[in-house]
Amino acid sequence: MIGKRKLERYCGDLSQVFCLQPCVLESGRAGGTHAVLVDNGADLELLVLLDKCMGIPRLKYRGINIGFICKNGISAPQFYQEDGTRGFLRNFEAGFLTTCGLTYFGTPCEVQGQKYGLHGVIANTPMENICTRTEWLHDQAFLKISGDAREGYLFGPNLVLHKELCVPVGSNKIEIHDSIENKGFEESSLMILYHFNYGYPFLCKDMEILCNFDKITARDMKSEAGIANIDQFDKPLDGFDEVVAYRTMSTQKKTQKKAYTLVYNPDLKIGVQMTFDPLQLPVLNQWKSPRAGDYVLGMEPGTGHVGGYEATRRAGLMQYIKPGETKKFDITIEFFEEKELTKRKKDMEES
């Protein structure tokens, strides 16, 4: 960037270089959904859904699609029904990011008469107190979107998620800064999942998939056979049954201050790296689905695993939040090219 005042000498409106453009989607099941188009003035373009907890259905890097959109497409929150598994899936566009939680996520279950549906309700919750703005720090501009989403009901929990997306202008990076506050007067379970999804053309059979979560557990017997090849992808296969793994850090690695995932396409020569705090998000859920029509790789950091509320509790992974307490979650996503790959791999190995 050449600086705000110098840039203004060239532009009547800085939106010709970078912008945050609020909009309302009109077509089909997406009709009426409030969103923001983001252009960072470099190689990143994304769509953020304000009415769906700031999900990111579409994201392009250098004009190349990175995420995966389910066959139902973008669906407005009013179509959501918490009905076991299919209710959520019918309204799940996936996209590059869907945020799940806040008191439960994962496989549906019932505990002491309380039903827990697939992936919780927050993904289909509209934001409030929304703010879209450009902030300048010296000569660097930052595109920011923030707002609140609530999960609560009579005699139930009262959790508020404050979510902020920050996209530096001219830098191919996205920062997520979230905090969850328990505004209630009883301790509550706390489960949040960042459902990141990679799709075609970024996703291909020759993908390199790396992370520093070295302990791997299959979700179920069906996934057990696929664990050996969990970091290898395939071309589209008819009727492929998904493989899901829970990845955590072994005792030797639990002192690490940073967790990494790296996905690289050797044909396109571009990659995506995520960095986050393993104390905040100790489980990486990895979803492998080269199924034709459902061709997607999920790299999903969370407080627990996608086996669901009860399975996460039994595994000793359940987190709780006390009355009045606030917990923070921070993720950085960086998009890079081939020349950076070797250094990024080395940094991961040395971490």
Side-chain angles (χ1 to χ4, degrees), residues 4 19 26 45 52 85 95 107 112 124-127 147 167 193 207 214 288 293 350:
K4 184 173 184 288
C19 71
E26 293 186 351
E45 297 178 40
K52 298 195 72 175
T85 297
T107 303
Q112 298 180 346
N124 288 280
T125 300
M127 306 297 294
V167 183
L193 177 74
M207 297 303 294
D214 58 329
K288 177 180 178 179
E350 293 177 351

Side-chain angles (χ1 to χ4, degrees), residues 46-49 52 54-60 65-75 88-89 91-100 123 194-200 202-203 287 295-300:
L46 52 148
L47 178 68
V48 180
L49 302 181
K52 298 195 72 175
M54 285 166 55
I56 305 174
R58 296 194 180 98
L59 185 147
K60 289 187 176 182
N65 175 69
I66 302 297
F68 167 78
I69 299 181
C70 293
K71 53 179 71 80
N72 46 281
I74 297 173
S75 296
F88 179 89
L89 293 181
N91 230 46
F92 178 53
E93 58 270 339
F96 177 69
L97 171 63
T98 296
T99 303
C100 304
Y194 294 89
H195 206 306
F196 287 98
N197 311 286
Y198 300 99
Y200 180 84
F202 177 65
L203 185 62
W287 174 35
Y295 192 71
V296 55
L297 165 68
M299 302 294 280
E300 309 164 25

Side-chain angles (χ1 to χ4, degrees), residues 56-268:
I56 305 174
R58 296 194 180 98
L59 185 147
K60 289 187 176 182
Y61 172 61
R62 285 176 34 193
I64 299 168
N65 175 69
I66 302 297
F68 167 78
I69 299 181
C70 293
K71 53 179 71 80
N72 46 281
I74 297 173
S75 296
Q78 60 263 30
F79 290 103
Y80 171 64
Q81 295 179 337
E82 190 177 12
D83 178 20
T85 297
R86 291 185 179 180
F88 179 89
L89 293 181
R90 287 193 175 102
N91 230 46
F92 178 53
E93 58 270 339
F96 177 69
L97 171 63
T98 296
T99 303
C100 304
L102 295 171
T103 58
Y104 60 95
F105 66 74
T107 303
C109 64
E110 183 172 337
V111 181
Q112 298 180 346
Q114 174 67 51
K115 293 184 178 180
Y116 298 89
L118 178 63
H119 285 331
V121 299
I122 208 68
N124 288 280
T125 300
M127 306 297 294
E128 52 191 278
N129 303 320
I130 297 163
C131 179
T132 60
R133 63 203 183 276
T134 300
E135 292 185 359
W136 288 85
L137 180 61
H138 306 299
D139 286 337
Q140 175 66 59
F142 297 87
L143 306 177
K144 293 187 176 183
I145 308 171
S146 61
D148 301 328
R150 295 186 286 178
E151 179 179 340
Y153 54 89
L154 184 64
F155 305 132
N158 185 10
L159 301 186
V160 175
L161 168 64
H162 179 77
K163 178 175 280 288
E164 180 182 87
L165 294 181
C166 175
V167 183
V169 170
S171 176
N172 294 312
K173 179 167 66 173
I174 300 172
E175 297 175 4
I176 298 173
H177 302 293
D178 289 354
S179 62
I180 298 175
E181 180 182 0
N182 184 352
K183 288 183 173 290
F185 296 90
E186 298 177 1
E187 185 177 69
S188 172
S189 60
L190 174 61
M191 295 184 71
I192 187 167
L193 177 74
Y194 294 89
H195 206 306
F196 287 98
N197 311 286
Y198 300 99
Y200 180 84
F202 177 65
L203 185 62
C204 71
K205 68 179 183 64
D206 296 319
M207 297 303 294
E208 289 189 49
I209 303 168
L210 304 171
C211 72
N212 61 346
F213 286 78
D214 58 329
K215 187 176 179 181
I216 306 176
T217 304
R219 180 184 63 180
D220 47 37
M221 292 299 294
K222 288 183 179 180
S223 294
E224 188 70 46
I227 289 298
N229 299 317
I230 192 66
D231 289 333
Q232 299 173 2
F233 221 74
D234 303 283
K235 63 182 181 181
L237 302 170
D238 292 350
F240 185 94
D241 203 352
E242 65 180 2
V243 175
V244 178
Y246 311 145
R247 306 186 69 144
T248 54
M249 290 187 177
S250 61
T251 303
Q252 293 81 359
K253 290 207 170 207
K254 283 187 177 178
T255 58
Q256 293 188 355
K257 295 182 179 180
K258 288 187 177 181
Y260 299 94
T261 73
L262 187 151
V263 182
Y264 179 73
N265 183 310
D267 298 325
L268 298 173

